[in-house]
Amino acid sequence: IVNYLTANKQEGGVNEYHLVAASKYDKVNALIPSEILSFINLSQGEKYIHLREQLGNAVDAKIIERISKSLKINKTLDTLRKGIKMNGIKLDLAYFQPANNKTPEHEQWYKENRLSIIRQLAYSTKNNNEIDLGFFINGIPVATAELKNALTSQNHHNAIKQYMQDRDPKGEPLLEFQRCLVHFAVGTEKVFMSTKLAGKSTYFLPFNKGNKHGKGNPELPLGATGHRTDYLWNEVFTRESLANIIQHFVRLDGKKKDPIQTKTLFFPRYHQMDVVRKIIAD
């Protein structure tokens, strides 16, 4: 998965993802400071210079502090979509696909997004627990994945069990509700997902293409190599797809005054995403 996403390039030579060392991850704030600062410097250099003139050498720490505060209060979806304001300057934290090509600068901004992946993400502030893969947009985590291989007699059920039993969201910033948008349990045959980790109460939904029986995934064509679940990284996690999902599909349901426990975070099922995209393309 890592090799595929980091080796592939989009039109114009932009990498889908780049690999970041687990040591770069800030467990307490649940983000990658170096990725955030690189994105802001490259995409909003003039704004960064203005902030540095006001804040001096403390500018980087102040930016990370402000973003961390927004992630804790407003959560990830709102922070990515709306950005932040500090010292009267608005900083964007993600750029999304423009609706048309009449504004070339928007297309260029969109290409400035930095998608990164961390292997063996040591996320815990309490112990040495790791999650197999973490996916980030401009240093902000949007997805995790636990991977299981049939060759070791494990499948998605083992990954689900791991999330439910060994991934306690209490006191772990990355695993708190709405901090990471979705968690995937990935086997070589099937994929399941959850948007809210809650111990033994965690609810996982299938994220499969469906086969002739309506469940699971189609068999690979005769002679083909790979896994039945490779659509996850071939289609869903690509640079354009992930940004599109966050821009248009992910939704938080519940009234503003509702306590956080009563809200529902929706991430599209595969077939929902697929049919909407096909309709729009048609």
Side-chain angles (χ1 to χ4, degrees):
I1 294 173
V2 172
N3 288 344
Y4 178 86
L5 291 175
T6 56
N8 276 17
K9 293 181 181 291
Q10 285 208 321
E11 187 178 343
V14 179
N15 277 71
E16 292 279 2
Y17 284 75
H18 62 278
L19 183 63
V20 172
S23 59
K24 300 284 188 182
Y25 178 71
D26 179 347
K27 298 178 183 181
V28 175
N29 293 310
L31 43 76
I32 310 174
S34 58
E35 286 293 286
I36 291 175
L37 295 171
S38 293
F39 167 71
I40 291 173
N41 266 290
L42 289 171
S43 64
Q44 301 157 85
E46 290 187 7
K47 292 180 179 180
Y48 178 82
I49 291 171
H50 288 316
L51 284 172
R52 190 173 60 193
E53 289 172 350
Q54 297 177 46
L55 301 171
N57 293 335
V59 60
D60 290 355
K62 290 291 185 182
I63 289 174
I64 297 301
E65 181 184 333
R66 178 66 187 85
I67 293 171
S68 178
K69 183 178 180 180
S70 179
L71 289 169
K72 289 174 183 175
I73 297 173
N74 303 317
K75 307 303 179 184
T76 294
L77 188 61
D78 198 63
T79 300
L80 282 174
R81 286 178 174 174
K82 297 180 180 179
I84 61 164
K85 284 185 179 179
M86 57 184 299
N87 289 53
I89 295 174
K90 182 179 183 297
L91 291 176
D92 295 308
L93 296 177
Y95 291 117
F96 298 107
Q97 185 98 50
N100 55 59
N101 59 3
K102 294 179 181 178
T103 51
E105 65 272 20
H106 287 184
E107 188 67 33
Q108 183 56 45
W109 293 340
Y110 173 63
K111 291 179 180 179
E112 298 286 357
N113 285 329
R114 294 174 65 86
L115 271 68
S116 53
I117 187 168
I118 291 181
R119 292 182 60 176
Q120 300 306 123
L121 177 60
Y123 68 89
S124 180
T125 58
K126 300 177 180 179
N127 51 50
N128 295 321
N129 279 2
E130 297 176 344
I131 292 179
D132 289 331
L133 293 178
F135 299 87
F136 300 77
I137 291 184
N138 303 321
I140 297 173
V142 293
T144 70
E146 290 287 5
L147 314 177
K148 301 301 173 187
N149 194 326
L151 293 176
T152 58
S153 300
Q154 291 189 315
N155 58 28
H156 65 281
H157 289 295
N158 300 93
I160 289 174
K161 185 177 179 181
Q162 196 169 18
Y163 272 120
M164 294 176 74
Q165 295 184 356
D166 303 329
R167 304 290 178 254
D168 185 1
K170 293 179 182 177
E172 299 286 14
L174 178 70
L175 305 184
E176 290 175 0
F177 180 47
Q178 295 189 61
R179 286 300 297 272
C180 199
L181 302 179
V182 65
H183 305 278
F184 285 101
V186 186
T188 53
E189 305 292 318
K190 296 180 181 180
V191 179
F192 277 66
M193 69 169 191
S194 177
T195 59
K196 184 178 182 180
L197 298 182
K200 293 181 180 179
S201 301
T202 305
Y203 187 65
F204 275 86
L205 285 166
F207 191 83
N208 299 306
K209 282 187 167 185
N211 55 23
K212 62 183 179 181
H213 302 294
K215 297 180 180 180
N217 290 302
E219 293 185 18
L220 294 174
L222 191 64
T225 59
H227 303 299
R228 292 189 188 187
T229 54
D230 61 12
Y231 59 90
L232 188 64
W233 51 97
N234 290 341
E235 299 176 36
V236 181
F237 277 136
T238 63
R239 182 186 189 87
E240 183 175 340
S241 170
L242 191 58
N244 173 260
I245 289 171
I246 292 171
Q247 181 181 11
H248 294 298
F249 286 92
V250 181
R251 180 170 62 88
L252 183 67
D253 188 50
K255 297 178 181 178
K256 286 186 177 181
K257 293 184 179 179
D258 282 353
I260 192 170
Q261 290 83 3
T262 65
K263 293 180 181 290
T264 303
L265 184 65
F266 289 95
F267 193 93
R269 305 273 292 279
Y270 178 86
H271 60 279
Q272 295 167 336
M273 177 192 70
D274 186 51
V275 73
V276 168
R277 286 177 173 174
K278 285 176 178 175
I279 291 170
I280 291 172
D282 192 64

